[in-house]
Amino acid sequence: MTNILDRIARAKRQEVEALKTMVSAEKMMRMAYSAEREVISMKDSIKSRDVAVIAEHKRRSPSRGEMAPMSSVAAVAEEYASNGAAAMSVLTDTPFFGGSLTDLAVARATAPWLPMLRKEFIVDDYQVCQARVYGADAILLIAAMIDSDTLCRLNNLAHELGMQTLVELHSEGELASLPADADMVGVNNRDLTSFKTDISNCARLVDSLPADMVKIAESGIKTPEDLRRLKSIGFDGFLIGEALMSCKDSGGRLRDFIIINP
């Protein structure tokens, strides 16, 4: 049976090819290289905080279903920016997560001082260029989704465009694909082939990660106690989505995670 990640990857490649018929790859690249907005360092924002939360906007997911289908990304961005987020992650995938590049652009305009991560299933240079054009400061690259040569190429392109990269791993076997100059490394507690979550995955991998690279714990962080545990074993930043988006007061819930006792 085809796993979920394979299905998403196949759909994403088809989507990108369709987009190229509307705006050519050459034009998108020219737009990206000519973008004038100064990029904000997501890595520095994370390193400057005692508790650094990358607060995520997403409306639904294959594992959880609908969470906040009618949410205003502008309102959520305001809540995150005013309640201490170190950065904001914006899901731009439409079929599986209900997001869009428009969401990224709106979040960027709403909180121009907050680093923005384009959370997407990136398989092509085109999407990296889109990220720069629509206001991203950093992009997510998923090691399980692309081969190591493609991962290095996309990482290099992001850097050429002034953006930073968060390379996501799920298993120790994927460490060989991690570019030495990636800005951040993430450990996803969600198995993207089944979408099952196991927060102890971070603990299994943390000692294998490069000591000098900013480390991000992703998925399954449901309580401040989860965050505290992950911080104690060496993670620098914490990507939290469902725990915030499923709460009516996302700003207040964000503060709960940031204001934790040692």
Side-chain angles (χ1 to χ4, degrees):
M1 182 182 293
T2 303
N3 65 45
I4 296 173
L5 191 62
D6 287 342
R7 284 170 43 209
I8 293 174
R10 185 169 59 249
K12 196 56 59 177
R13 291 186 175 94
Q14 293 172 348
E15 176 187 306
V16 169
E17 291 309 308
L19 288 170
K20 289 177 183 177
T21 66
M22 294 181 280
V23 178
S24 71
E26 294 77 12
K27 182 175 181 180
M28 186 62 69
M29 185 164 287
R30 287 196 303 271
M31 292 167 64
Y33 274 100
S34 62
E36 296 181 352
R37 184 189 65 84
E38 185 174 348
V39 173
I40 308 165
S41 175
M42 180 171 149
K43 180 172 70 173
D44 287 352
S45 181
I46 290 167
K47 290 170 66 176
S48 70
R49 296 166 188 260
D50 184 49
V51 179
V53 173
I54 305 166
E56 186 162 271
H57 177 270
K58 63 179 176 181
R59 295 185 173 89
R60 63 173 181 266
S61 74
S63 59
R64 178 71 181 269
E66 300 288 352
M67 281 178 286
M70 303 304 291
S71 67
S72 161
V73 69
V76 172
E78 287 179 355
E79 285 293 303
Y80 289 166
S82 61
N83 285 283
M88 181 172 177
S89 169
V90 182
L91 258 299
T92 61
D93 171 81
T94 302
F96 298 93
F97 289 87
S100 69
L101 280 164
T102 299
D103 285 342
L104 176 60
V106 170
R108 167 83 288 146
T110 303
W113 61 90
L114 188 66
M116 292 288 164
L117 171 71
R118 183 185 187 188
K119 183 81 172 289
E120 178 59 270
F121 299 94
I122 293 181
V123 296
D124 192 280
D125 296 30
Y126 192 86
Q127 296 162 290
V128 180
C129 293
Q130 282 181 317
R132 183 68 171 98
V133 171
Y134 280 82
D137 300 292
I139 60 169
L140 180 76
L141 296 173
I142 302 172
M145 196 165 197
I146 48 182
D147 61 64
S148 57
D149 288 343
T150 302
L151 177 54
C152 285
R153 188 184 76 246
L154 299 177
N155 178 73
N156 291 341
L157 177 58
H159 287 164
E160 286 180 16
L161 293 172
M163 294 183 293
Q164 296 180 339
T165 55
L166 168 57
V167 176
E168 177 180 294
L169 311 176
H170 184 268
S171 68
E172 193 166 359
E174 294 168 0
L175 273 166
S177 297
L178 178 65
D181 63 343
D183 300 284
M184 297 159 282
V185 58
V187 175
N188 198 338
N189 292 308
R190 177 171 287 115
D191 184 339
L192 290 179
T193 62
S194 66
F195 272 70
K196 293 181 179 178
T197 301
D198 177 9
I199 197 170
S200 64
N201 195 47
C202 275
R204 285 192 289 267
L205 293 185
V206 66
D207 290 337
S208 301
L209 303 178
D212 59 348
M213 197 173 287
V214 171
K215 302 169 186 64
I216 309 298
E218 306 174 34
S219 300
I221 304 171
K222 299 177 180 178
T223 67
E225 289 71 28
D226 291 336
L227 187 153
R228 186 184 301 115
R229 173 189 168 197
L230 293 167
K231 181 175 171 60
S232 72
I233 62 173
F235 283 90
D236 306 296
F238 312 91
L239 197 154
I240 304 176
E242 290 184 9
L244 302 179
M245 291 300 297
S246 59
C247 180
K248 289 184 179 179
D249 181 9
S250 58
R253 187 57 176 157
L254 174 59
R255 290 196 304 276
D256 291 341
F257 281 97
I258 293 173
I259 305 171
I260 60 172
N261 295 318

